[in-house]
Amino acid sequence: MNIMNKMDGSDVKMRDVSHQHYETTQALEHAAQQAIERRYENFLIVDIDSHHYENEAWPEIVEYITDPVLRHDAGHQGPAKPGMGVGYGSYQELNGRIIRYRGRKIEKTPPVPHRDITLMRRWMDAMGTDIACLFPTPMLNLSLSPDVAIQTGLAWAYNSWLCERILADEPRIKSMLYLPFLDPEACIKTVEHFAEKKGVIGFMVTSTHQRSVFQNGYIRLYKMLEERGLPLAFHSATGGEPGLRLFNKFFGVHALGFCWNNMLYLTNWLINGMPERFPKLKTIWIESGLAWIPFLMQRLDNEYMMRSSEVPLLKRKPSEYIREMYFSSQPMEMVDNRKSLELTFELINAKTQLLYASDFPHWDMDLPSTIYDLPFIDEAAKRNILGGNAQRIFNLEPIFSPRKLARREAAKAKG
Amino acid sequence: MAEIKVCSPAELADGAVRIVTVKNLEIAVIKHDGKYFAYHNHCPHQGGPACEGVRMPQVIDELDENGRLIGHAYDKDDIHIVCPWHGYEFHLNDGVNVSDKRIRLKKFDVIERSDGVFLSV
Ligand code: FES
């Protein structure tokens, strides 16, 4: 219901909250207000880490599985049963406290375009995001399957479906495609086949693979990406890490797991001299927040001074290489730590290396205002982090949200 | 101070939340266990609609006299407003954040009379 009264000449509006229906646009109305107040229409915002729930389109994805037996099994089992890919449940939705998880299940969308495109546009337009890089959710744990053929088969089907059904139809949605990292040859095939597809801006390794990035089998893959100028992203995830099984609460799994996996992969990448072997290959470390990076810089520099003989490919201190890598911002640690956050920005050279990410719709999403409202960086740095850096490293053509373009037009008309 | 009529006395069902907006100010009027509470519908975290999510009681870990965990319970006397965006929790009684007392939802007075329920702004 909507009741209208007057107070001091202003309308008083009333609205009753209902959980019987859900609409992303309404749920993010406050984000839309932030976008207006901060005048996001004046610059490009690129979100380099957002997600969908590809399991909701599972019957469509199954159709893209080429192996007939796997196609039958996958159609029968669904994506989330043990053995098919996803090993563990998670507590992302805080046991019902984050209502957009169940809201999404009842949210209505028109028959066209694809439901995922409609849902993406709704949150992107609300937040003031122009371009978003889309990643899967359950498939981040696909590597937990003990069967390599399941991983490669499902990854190929997912990537084909994503390119054809989503990326081809909405130029504001991009992806760094999932690499079936258990099988280096399949990774190479994936790059060869998909690199030129519309909306593909790089490739991504999830850190649940329990594979060492330095193995010679991967070298050709890195070379191919470097030659094509396509970034390699490492997206953290938690499944499969034996130490994390000691936790009884997602609190611990999440707080440590996401950082630990990126620390592990980045350290291995570095101490095996990959930045020297592939100096033009851009690496992006996603979804671990920022607090772990200064720790790792200090820790690795300290080791390096004593043990350089073990890492002869390195010509400089580890922190110097790290400073040339790229990092996504979310979930940015912002509780009572202004000084350390400011120092972190300095240490990682955030102005050019940091990339805004929301992780929407996941529970710990960050709005663009987490960057825009920072008191210690100037307007140019804010715009770089929110979009300029991503535009540069992915060579993106700027495509603005229609809502922002309309606001610009309205401002122009007003003079 | 001005008064805004929110509803007639029996209009809102228990558990209902009505958002009252005047200019840019959103106030959530919550009816819980027959009592009314009103808070600024703006979360101090990232600005989410703090009062539009669920309300949950305080969770308790129960220990025996030797400190062993014996189970969990809810404290139904301490209901929390849970912000739907990321789950920040605020005591329903006073709007103070559960994890940091320095953070709170701004509280507004609710006046109940025979002719209706009013918000004092
Ligand atoms: S905005 Fe309320 S919990 Fe984040």
Side-chain angles (χ1 to χ4, degrees):
Chain A
M1 62 152 304
N2 270 308
I3 308 165
M4 221 62 124
N5 275 313
K6 289 264 179 212
M7 200 188 94
D8 299 337
S10 295
D11 287 338
V12 175
K13 290 186 218 150
M14 304 217 194
R15 168 172 64 83
D16 287 347
V17 175
S18 164
H19 294 164
Q20 301 312 309
H21 55 82
Y22 187 86
E23 227 278 335
T24 298
T25 308
Q26 171 64 50
L28 293 176
E29 179 53 33
H30 286 201
Q33 286 162 13
Q34 291 182 14
I36 293 167
E37 286 157 14
R38 290 159 181 76
R39 311 204 53 155
Y40 290 161
E41 66 270 20
N42 290 335
F43 57 94
L44 187 77
I45 296 187
V46 182
D47 177 347
I48 69 127
D49 178 25
S50 67
H51 293 267
H52 61 163
Y53 284 83
E54 72 285 359
N55 48 311
E56 291 168 358
W58 189 242
E60 293 172 22
I61 295 172
V62 165
E63 292 304 312
Y64 288 82
I65 299 175
T66 52
D67 178 322
V69 177
L70 181 59
R71 185 166 62 244
H72 170 83
D73 291 356
H76 179 70
Q77 288 213 42
K81 291 187 180 161
M84 219 31 165
V86 180
Y88 309 109
S90 77
Y91 292 89
Q92 284 219 19
E93 46 273 78
L94 263 167
N95 303 308
R97 289 171 176 81
I98 310 293
I99 59 172
R100 62 180 168 277
Y101 283 82
R102 65 187 137 98
R104 195 187 58 252
K105 295 190 181 119
I106 55 170
E107 181 159 4
K108 295 211 167 28
T109 53
V112 280
H114 194 283
R115 177 175 166 82
D116 283 3
I117 294 179
T118 300
L119 294 179
M120 287 286 288
R121 284 178 183 163
R122 282 180 185 165
W123 70 256
M124 290 167 70
D125 289 341
M127 288 189 197
T129 297
D130 300 296
I131 297 172
C133 179
L134 177 64
F135 291 120
T137 298
M139 274 192 43
L140 292 177
N141 283 332
L142 185 55
S143 58
L144 300 181
S145 165
D147 185 340
V148 176
I150 286 182
Q151 189 194 48
T152 53
L154 295 190
W156 189 271
Y158 169 77
N159 286 335
S160 305
W161 169 83
L162 184 69
C163 287
E164 225 172 88
R165 304 292 293 274
I166 309 292
L167 303 185
D169 287 347
E170 174 49 274
R172 292 171 61 202
I173 304 176
K174 314 286 185 192
S175 187
M176 290 184 262
L177 293 189
Y178 182 98
L179 286 173
F181 209 58
L182 295 179
D183 180 348
E185 283 306 312
C187 292
I188 288 165
K189 243 178 90 186
T190 300
V191 174
E192 279 168 348
H193 184 79
F194 292 102
E196 303 297 323
K197 301 271 185 213
K198 191 177 162 198
V200 175
I201 55 170
F203 288 85
M204 179 269 288
V205 175
T206 59
S207 50
T208 52
H209 284 88
Q210 309 292 314
R211 283 287 192 275
S212 298
V213 291
F214 57 78
Q215 285 162 6
N216 276 343
Y218 294 121
I219 295 303
R220 199 168 138 230
L221 169 71
Y222 304 147
K223 193 81 206 152
M224 285 171 76
L225 293 174
E226 185 185 45
E227 282 168 3
R228 286 170 162 80
L230 289 167
L232 177 62
F234 290 86
H235 190 301
S236 211
T238 53
E241 173 59 46
L244 297 178
R245 295 188 72 112
L246 299 181
F247 283 118
N248 61 346
K249 296 172 199 287
F250 187 64
F251 188 123
V253 172
H254 184 264
L256 301 197
F258 275 75
C259 299
W260 165 244
N261 278 312
N262 263 343
M263 285 200 270
L264 187 66
Y265 275 68
L266 192 155
T267 302
N268 230 352
W269 182 263
L270 197 59
I271 63 179
N272 287 284
M274 296 303 171
E276 286 294 338
R277 296 200 239 177
F278 307 101
K280 293 208 170 91
L281 177 55
K282 298 174 189 116
T283 54
I284 307 171
W285 306 87
I286 295 180
E287 208 181 327
S288 305
L290 303 178
W292 62 284
I293 315 171
F295 161 79
L296 199 65
M297 285 174 149
Q298 295 169 72
R299 188 83 182 154
L300 297 185
D301 281 359
N302 201 48
E303 298 287 319
Y304 179 68
M305 295 309 290
M306 298 180 279
R307 307 185 73 90
S308 62
S309 60
E310 265 185 64
V311 290
L313 285 172
L314 295 189
K315 304 283 177 267
R316 297 177 283 153
K317 293 193 188 81
S319 63
E320 294 177 47
Y321 294 102
I322 295 175
R323 207 164 285 128
E324 291 164 0
M325 295 174 178
Y326 296 91
F327 298 91
S328 76
S329 56
Q330 179 278 341
M332 198 159 76
E333 300 87 350
M334 299 186 70
V335 179
D336 301 334
N337 69 337
R338 188 181 139 175
K339 264 193 196 163
S340 47
L341 189 62
E342 186 173 357
L343 181 63
T344 302
F345 268 57
E346 243 174 66
L347 287 172
I348 66 171
N349 205 7
K351 226 190 277 185
T352 57
Q353 309 306 113
L354 187 60
L355 308 167
Y356 162 69
S358 73
D359 196 36
F360 193 81
H362 292 169
W363 68 283
D364 52 345
M365 57 102 174
D366 277 347
L367 292 185
S369 58
T370 53
I371 299 294
Y372 196 79
D373 294 353
L374 287 173
F376 53 78
I377 51 172
D378 62 20
E379 181 75 16
K382 290 174 184 180
R383 292 184 181 198
N384 279 347
I385 295 164
L386 282 168
N389 292 341
Q391 189 185 356
R392 189 182 77 246
I393 75 164
F394 294 111
N395 201 14
L396 294 174
E397 182 197 335
I399 310 167
F400 283 85
S401 148
R403 255 207 231 183
K404 283 166 67 169
L405 290 176
R407 283 212 297 276
R408 257 199 232 172
E409 284 307 310
K412 226 193 270 168
K414 248 183 162 177
Chain B
M1 279 291 179
E3 279 187 3
I4 297 171
K5 182 168 179 180
V6 177
C7 57
S8 50
E11 191 182 334
L12 288 189
D14 208 57
V17 179
R18 180 165 284 181
I19 308 295
V20 180
T21 309
V22 196
K23 293 181 184 155
N24 288 331
L25 179 65
E26 268 186 19
I27 301 166
V29 179
I30 300 166
K31 188 173 182 186
H32 187 92
D33 270 350
K35 278 177 73 182
Y36 292 93
F37 303 87
Y39 290 105
H40 189 193
N41 187 33
H42 185 275
C43 180
H45 178 220
Q46 288 189 32
C51 305
E52 294 191 38
V54 294
R55 287 185 298 287
M56 295 284 290
Q58 167 72 44
V59 175
I60 295 168
D61 276 353
E62 291 184 319
L63 307 178
D64 71 9
E65 63 280 6
N66 296 313
R68 283 184 298 229
L69 181 72
I70 52 170
H72 310 289
Y74 286 120
D75 177 0
K76 297 233 167 80
D77 294 330
D78 182 8
I79 299 297
H80 298 169
I81 295 168
V82 184
C83 178
W85 276 10
H86 312 90
Y88 270 40
E89 299 197 19
F90 304 89
H91 297 289
L92 177 64
N93 275 334
D94 56 12
V96 172
N97 182 266
V98 168
S99 309
D100 184 342
K101 288 186 178 54
R102 295 168 303 171
I103 303 170
R104 60 171 62 226
L105 299 176
K106 183 173 162 49
K107 199 171 198 292
F108 291 87
D109 289 333
V110 181
I111 302 148
E112 285 183 73
R113 287 198 302 259
S114 58
D115 57 338
V117 178
F118 298 83
L119 200 51
S120 175
V121 288

